[in-house]
Amino acid sequence: MSGYRVDYYEIKKDFLECCYDGCRQKLKNIARGTSGVPQDDDGVGYASYQYEEVYQLPIEQLMLAVINLILMAARGPEHVEMFHRKKIKQILSAHPLDELLKELGGEEREDLLCDMKALQLI
């Protein structure tokens, strides 16, 4: 694996900004009486949709799936959590975690591993 890679911090920052934008748009739509967004949407669903197929590298895809699960904080919906867990399992089946982690610096690696441990992925 070579070429440009987006780091974990940048993916988190961009994804959270997108969540924020989704929530802000939801509020604008509610004010106009035109909200098509479910009341319980916290912006993660919006951001997930916006980030579909954005990242091509397996490590980036792994990071994005982990970020999604962290932001869900076990609040569901269960089928969405299972979708992200399945994606992670597919990535790790095709690319051993040790190989993926070789691309990361120490702090970035530790942050990702900490999140994966919190999610009981490792």
Side-chain angles (χ1 to χ4, degrees):
M1 292 179 206
S2 63
Y4 179 74
R5 177 186 66 79
V6 181
D7 73 28
Y8 196 41
Y9 308 109
E10 189 70 24
I11 293 172
K12 280 194 282 188
K13 181 181 92 47
D14 291 347
F15 192 81
L16 287 170
E17 284 178 7
C18 192
C19 288
Y20 177 87
D21 290 344
C23 290
R24 184 172 50 191
Q25 187 59 49
K26 178 181 175 179
L27 290 171
K28 288 179 183 178
N29 290 345
I30 289 170
R32 283 184 280 203
T34 61
S35 178
V37 180
Q39 282 298 105
D40 61 348
D41 184 12
D42 58 5
V44 175
Y46 172 84
S48 292
Y49 178 75
Q50 298 301 316
Y51 275 78
E52 281 184 14
E53 307 297 324
V54 168
Y55 299 111
Q56 302 305 310
L57 296 177
I59 187 64
E60 295 169 333
Q61 293 171 357
L62 174 67
M63 291 174 182
L64 182 60
V66 167
I67 291 165
N68 269 283
L69 288 174
I70 288 288
L71 290 174
M72 290 178 69
R75 291 174 294 186
E78 187 176 333
H79 72 281
V80 176
E81 182 175 340
M82 296 314 301
F83 171 83
H84 293 296
R85 287 185 179 277
K86 182 179 177 183
K87 177 73 173 174
I88 291 168
K89 186 176 181 178
Q90 290 171 337
I91 293 167
L92 295 177
S93 292
H95 309 277
L97 183 58
D98 290 344
E99 289 297 315
L100 293 173
L101 293 175
K102 286 181 181 178
E103 296 186 39
L104 309 183
E107 189 175 327
E108 183 183 19
R109 179 186 310 109
E110 291 307 312
D111 195 25
L112 177 61
L113 288 173
C114 180
D115 288 350
M116 293 179 75
K117 286 176 187 171
L119 295 166
Q120 299 179 342
L121 295 168
I122 55 172

